[in-house]
Amino acid sequence: MVRRLFPRSIRARLTTVATLIAAVVFIATATITLATIPDNLRGVVQARVELAVRRVAAEARAGTLPRVLETPSRVHILQVFTADGRLLASSPDPAQGLRLADLRPVWPHTVRFAERTVSRNPDEPETHYLVMALTTQTPGGPVTVYGASSLTDVDRALKWIYVLVFIGTPLVLVSVAGITWISVGSALRPVERIRAEMAEITGQDLSRRVPVPDTGDEITDLATTTNDTLDRLERSAETQRRFVADASHELRSPISALRAQLEVASAYPDETDWRATGEQALAAADRLTGIIDELLMLARLDAGAVSERRVVDLVRVAEDQIRRRAGGRVPILPDLCASAPVYGSPMQLDRLLTNLLDNATRHAATRIDLEVAVEGDKVIVTVTDDGDGIPPQDRERVFERFTRLAPARAKDKGGSGLGLALCRDIATAHGGTVTVADHFPGARFVVTLPLYGKP
């Protein structure tokens, strides 16, 4: 089993990442600080002492060296010694025990630095000094100028820096981890409520919804999308239950009729016209087959199954339909363009036109008009009958499954109410639409599909 580098919890992972990033930043900052600040602080003291020493050396070279040397601010000791170690000049209050004469420059006119730790007075703690020596030539011979400045302020500042780096950095990292843990926990609390609510939602009760926080952030969007998905699931489940109930009812009717006919024929075999009974049984079986085929095709479309597709010329499909229906009850008057290619399933597109023409045949009084045309990047198929028509308020309802209007039930008791629903699903699966347009008398169905080869 491969070990995880980070914990599984998002809260723990974000806390770990934030702490690691903070640690990298603070360690880098501390490294740069410890590498530069001490030298910078000592450099300031060194520049101050060097300036004072060079000033005294200039006075010595000019022969104007006083016996008592004036020390600038923050320079504590200035002394001038001859080559044989005799003291020529000194600041008013030199530190006891601070030996300066043992620090000698290697070359004339060059500055040498060193650090000494002494006590100015026996009762005081030791003091850390930065000592500087510079040899110069004077009218009386070579002399060495010494200067010293206390590093107490520098040591105190460095002590605080070390405390902040080595004690403050862990405290800051702990604070970052704690703040991140609390902040992420607070941000994820709505997610936990959503998870708990989702865990209690079952297929038997899809009416519940997850709480939507009013923060307006991504979690609000997540909760809103989740509720929208639950809405769709609830509608889908309700549609499925209604579909199963309607399908059971539609299948029960022909089965019951077929059973009744066969029971009567079996009870009175001598009085039964077996030829007529067989024809009625075949008609009932054909109706059952048609309903089952349409249900299976609807189920495939609902499941998103992709049938084999190729380029189909709807003009050729329309011509095949007209040939198959020649000599029927109602003539079909075609108005076809030269070619109308679309990309799709030949079987489904043929079924689309079959259902529309079957519907028109059931309702037409004297004629059916079939038109196939190309308009821009669309193929338009129009099926028009001169029957009773469809009221405007029912023009969307007729595409619902198992929906049959009262006039349709009165004219034809054998319909299933699935044909137009299947037409819309097939058109939608091919990127098109099916609508009912205004027309009088009768009804006009308009199918719009993308023309093959056009963007």
Side-chain angles (χ1 to χ4, degrees), residues 5-29:
L5 295 178
F6 291 95
R8 295 181 62 87
S9 167
I10 294 178
R11 188 180 190 182
R13 285 205 302 268
L14 291 178
T15 301
T16 302
V17 170
T19 305
L20 289 177
I21 293 175
V24 170
V25 172
F26 276 99
I27 289 174
T29 304

Side-chain angles (χ1 to χ4, degrees), residues 150-229:
S150 174
L151 292 174
T152 301
D153 292 339
V154 173
D155 294 340
R156 185 182 300 112
L158 291 178
K159 183 182 298 183
W160 280 108
I161 291 175
Y162 293 145
V163 169
L164 290 176
V165 169
F166 294 107
I167 298 179
T169 297
L171 292 178
V172 171
L173 293 180
V174 171
S175 301
V176 169
I179 293 172
T180 305
W181 180 268
I182 295 172
S183 300
V184 174
S186 176
L188 293 179
R189 196 169 296 118
V191 177
E192 175 59 26
R193 289 197 294 267
I194 293 173
R195 186 206 62 78
E197 187 67 26
M198 287 292 293
E200 296 180 4
I201 296 176
T202 62
Q204 286 72 31
D205 182 15
L206 293 174
S207 61
R208 300 178 63 172
R209 297 294 178 266
V210 300
V212 179
D214 57 357
T215 53
D217 54 10
E218 290 82 356
I219 297 178
T220 300
D221 296 338
L222 171 64
T224 302
T225 303
T226 301
N227 285 337
D228 292 341
T229 302

Side-chain angles (χ1 to χ4, degrees), residues 258-282:
L258 178 60
R259 182 182 182 85
Q261 292 170 3
L262 294 177
E263 286 178 348
V264 171
S266 298
Y268 305 99
D270 297 333
E271 302 176 7
T272 300
D273 185 350
W274 288 102
R275 182 181 181 86
T277 301
E279 292 177 351
Q280 293 173 358
L282 286 175

Side-chain angles (χ1 to χ4, degrees), residues 390-401:
I390 301 174
Q393 64 272 17
D394 294 326
R395 290 179 180 176
E396 280 298 316
R397 198 164 68 89
V398 294
F399 293 105
E400 296 177 2
R401 298 176 184 183

